[in-house]
Amino acid sequence: MRRVSIFDSTLRDGAQGSGVTFSVEDKLKIVKILDQLGVECIEAGNPGSNPKDLEFFQRARQIPLRYARLVAFGSTCRKGRRPEDDENLRSLVQAGTDFCTVFGKCWRFHVDCVLETTEEENLRMIRESCRYLKAHGKEVIFDAEHYFDGYKDDADFALRMAEAAVAGGAGMICLCDTNGGVFPEEAAEIVAETVSRLSVPVAVHFHDDCGMAVANSVVSVLKGASQVQGTFLGFGERCGNANLSAVIPNLQIKLGIDCIPQEKLAALTHTARELAAVSNLDLSANLPYVGENAFSHKAGMHADGVLKAPRSFEQVDPFLVGNSRRFPASEISGRAVILAKIKTIFPDAKIESREVQEVLERIKELERLGYQFEGADASFELLVRKLLAPFSPFFELLYYHIYTDFAAEKDCGASATVKVRVGGEIQLMAAEGNGPVNALDQALRKALEVFYPVLSHVKLTDYKVRVLDGKNATGSSVRVLITSTDGVRSFTTVGVSNDVVAASWKALEDSMEYLLLKTNGACGK
């Protein structure tokens, strides 16, 4: 089986993405995550650009890596300067990595108008920089910057720059689509010709400004590229980089080309979630293979087909990439979907068609009012349990009062009073918050924690409000989605009302009730 090297640049090119900032601790965590997946090369930053990257490389030497090799990144020496006098190149040597990536210009336009130098000087900068790093024991990857645009403008010029890097000792040439404007047929032709001309392996590095980065990476491998560079979740400068979480399964599952150890494929989805959490970014639900919606079937006909024969509406088995099949409950869901979801809650129950129809009709009725159970599985489960196997509520709301105030010279504040009944006992609690919903949340928790200490571990992680019918202005109904966690599981609940506080209360009430249901009211009185 053919093998292709995976080169992840999340910590370098990914860090250039809008809204992305990594601490040294973040970078160390990401190195460990990528190594556990079996990624071969991790481009970890530019030690010559900032003290943070320099500190990272010093600390990274202490991390035992099983699969990955760290790569330091930098540029060729500056025009008119010898490599040994260039601080950036010295930093690459001092980074302590066996591999270095050094980039240089391969587009005549850039040499003339950006570097403002001659072809001969650019050739010298590339050749001598690679030779300097090689002389210091480094394995050198030359990033041929703007190679595809440069090749289309003057193919011989671009090739001469790549050949200069080989002459200087570079062991691999990476062809970079720096502007992200190449199409797959162009990529295929240029990679094939370059592979035939160079005496060392060729890598590719595509940006996604035309939405072609993954496709370009795949066709380049088919034309002889030995390595794909990208970022695991696709983020990076401007529109991002080739998304390796899609490139890897495309190559390995669809084309039989090894990228990571076979047993690691099932860790793709978990890795994506871990990286998103460390990066403090939401993992897009629509990402191929690893997104929550990648194997989500909402339409009744599709869901029915998948339940009968998964390949009828799925390109691969979600198990292969560690993902799972989902059937979001909605008003367009068919009986087969509802039946499948009910069976995840009551696996041993014999659900008759009348009961399934009752749940489906109730869902349709609630969605007409504005409820959305797609993405609110906790509220869906509570609904099903209450309809099919009624249980005694863990608490009963007697009332709540909200008080808000405003003054021009201070922040707005709010206080809430909540009175609940648990069994035969009544608890009244008050709390302050930075708004009415926050105050209500705090007061409810304080009241219930008296009876159920397990709720002290619950925290709200996301709160979304959507206006359902804007034509009624401030009198419009709103939908509130609340995501909570107890440190072990995350769950989302939903509430709808023309009063944002009442909608929030419903979602908060469901979140508390759901956790108590899952823990059987652990430690409760």
Side-chain angles (χ1 to χ4, degrees):
M1 181 180 288
R2 183 184 169 195
R3 189 174 187 286
V4 166
S5 170
I6 295 298
F7 182 111
D8 185 280
S9 187
T10 297
L11 297 178
R12 199 277 302 174
D13 214 335
Q16 295 172 202
S18 177
V20 178
T21 302
F22 296 124
S23 67
V24 173
E25 293 298 331
D26 291 335
K27 298 185 75 163
L28 294 171
K29 288 178 185 176
I30 289 174
V31 165
K32 294 175 184 177
I33 292 169
L34 292 172
D35 179 57
Q36 288 171 359
L37 183 67
V39 168
E40 184 172 334
C41 295
I42 301 173
E43 189 172 60
N46 186 339
S49 67
N50 60 78
K52 183 168 66 176
D53 278 359
L54 192 58
E55 178 189 349
F56 163 79
F57 280 106
Q58 292 170 346
R59 294 179 59 184
R61 297 174 192 175
Q62 310 305 317
I63 301 177
L65 299 176
R66 180 178 179 185
Y67 298 102
R69 295 173 290 187
L70 292 182
V71 182
F73 173 87
S75 68
T76 63
C77 63
R78 298 180 183 180
K79 64 180 180 181
R81 182 175 296 183
R82 299 185 307 167
E84 53 267 34
D85 297 329
D86 191 278
E87 293 180 2
N88 176 69
L89 287 176
R90 286 204 301 269
S91 295
L92 290 179
V93 171
Q94 295 165 4
T97 62
D98 293 333
F99 282 74
C100 291
T101 298
V102 61
F103 72 89
K105 303 292 187 183
C106 292
W107 186 3
R108 184 184 291 279
F109 167 73
H110 264 260
V111 173
D112 293 343
C113 301
V114 178
L115 286 184
E116 297 180 328
T117 191
T118 64
E119 176 181 340
E120 291 71 23
E121 175 63 2
N122 193 57
L123 285 167
R124 181 199 69 82
M125 292 158 58
I126 293 171
R127 183 174 54 251
E128 292 187 4
S129 295
C130 292
R131 183 173 294 147
Y132 172 81
L133 293 172
K134 187 68 175 177
H136 283 81
K138 305 298 182 181
E139 293 294 329
V140 182
I141 299 172
F142 176 67
D143 266 9
E145 191 180 34
H146 293 287
Y147 184 84
F148 289 91
D149 287 323
Y151 189 98
K152 289 190 289 182
D153 181 55
D154 186 336
D156 288 337
F157 179 90
L159 281 163
R160 285 197 297 274
M161 301 305 115
E163 289 166 345
V166 175
M172 178 175 282
I173 304 299
C174 180
L175 315 182
C176 301
D177 179 24
T178 312
N179 285 358
V182 172
F183 273 50
E185 61 270 22
E186 296 174 311
E189 179 183 345
I190 293 170
V191 169
E193 179 61 25
T194 303
V195 167
S196 71
R197 292 280 296 269
L198 296 181
S199 60
V200 299
V202 167
V204 289
H205 179 121
F206 290 99
H207 281 258
D208 205 34
D209 297 71
C210 286
M212 302 286 183
V214 170
N216 285 338
S217 299
V218 171
V219 299
S220 295
V221 169
L222 295 177
K223 292 299 181 178
S226 301
Q227 182 182 85
V228 174
Q229 296 191 4
T231 61
F232 192 76
L233 294 180
F235 57 78
E237 194 167 18
R238 302 188 312 276
C239 300
N241 294 55
N243 184 344
L244 296 178
S245 70
V247 170
I248 292 170
N250 278 337
L251 292 176
Q252 195 149 335
I253 297 175
K254 294 299 191 70
L255 299 177
I257 299 172
D258 269 355
C259 300
I260 60 176
Q262 186 66 27
E263 68 274 12
K264 299 292 185 178
L265 270 177
L268 280 174
T269 300
H270 177 70
T271 299
R273 291 169 181 168
E274 280 194 301
L275 279 175
V278 176
S279 305
N280 198 29
L281 296 173
D282 290 332
L283 183 66
S284 172
N286 293 329
L287 280 181
Y289 295 101
V290 299
E292 190 177 59
N293 292 341
F295 302 95
S296 181
H297 307 281
K298 182 176 178 181
M301 184 186 72
H302 288 206
D304 183 58
V306 167
L307 288 167
K308 292 174 180 174
R311 68 191 184 99
S312 62
F313 286 98
E314 288 179 347
Q315 54 145 343
V316 298
D317 186 337
F319 175 79
L320 294 175
V321 293
N323 210 335
S324 58
R325 189 171 294 126
R326 294 178 63 251
F327 299 103
S330 77
E331 61 182 3
I332 64 172
S333 299
R335 290 160 58 93
V337 174
I338 299 301
L339 177 61
K341 288 187 70 67
I342 289 174
K343 283 187 173 180
T344 65
I345 303 168
F346 297 109
D348 299 326
K350 294 182 179 179
I351 310 297
E352 301 298 332
S353 59
R354 180 184 59 80
E355 295 171 308
V356 174
Q357 190 64 34
E358 181 183 356
V359 174
L360 183 57
E361 290 304 317
R362 181 61 176 152
I363 288 172
K364 290 182 177 180
E365 177 186 347
L366 289 171
E367 290 207 348
R368 278 193 291 270
L369 297 175
Y371 276 82
Q372 175 182 297
F373 292 101
E374 181 182 350
D377 282 349
S379 286
F380 175 82
E381 182 171 339
L382 286 172
L383 173 65
V384 171
R385 288 186 180 276
K386 289 175 180 178
L387 287 174
L388 301 184
F391 60 90
S392 299
F394 290 94
F395 61 92
E396 176 189 359
L397 172 69
L398 298 180
Y399 66 77
Y400 64 75
H401 293 302
I402 305 289
Y403 309 90
T404 62
D405 60 59
F406 173 79
E409 296 181 356
K410 70 173 186 176
D411 293 335
C412 296
S415 59
T417 302
V418 171
K419 190 174 185 179
V420 295
R421 177 187 288 123
V422 177
E425 299 184 51
I426 292 176
Q427 187 68 40
L428 177 67
M429 281 291 180
E432 294 181 327
N434 56 19
V437 175
N438 181 239
L440 183 61
D441 180 27
Q442 298 299 321
L444 176 61
R445 290 172 191 274
K446 288 173 65 176
L448 292 180
E449 283 172 18
V450 173
F451 304 97
Y452 306 111
V454 69
L455 293 178
S456 64
H457 301 297
V458 180
K459 66 176 181 178
L460 188 152
T461 59
D462 197 14
Y463 175 79
K464 294 185 176 75
V465 179
R466 180 175 179 181
V467 176
L468 299 177
D469 187 2
K471 67 183 181 183
N472 291 324
T474 54
S476 301
S477 292
V478 296
R479 178 194 301 130
V480 171
L481 286 169
I482 287 178
T483 302
S484 306
T485 182
D486 62 351
V488 176
R489 73 208 80 181
S490 291
F491 45 91
T492 302
T493 52
V494 60
V496 172
S497 174
N498 56 8
D499 179 340
V500 67
V501 175
S504 301
W505 165 264
K506 176 56 181 169
L508 285 171
E509 181 182 38
D510 272 10
S511 68
M512 300 296 176
E513 195 165 37
Y514 180 78
L515 181 65
L516 292 173
L517 181 67
K518 289 300 180 182
T519 60
N520 197 26
C523 304
K525 290 186 177 180

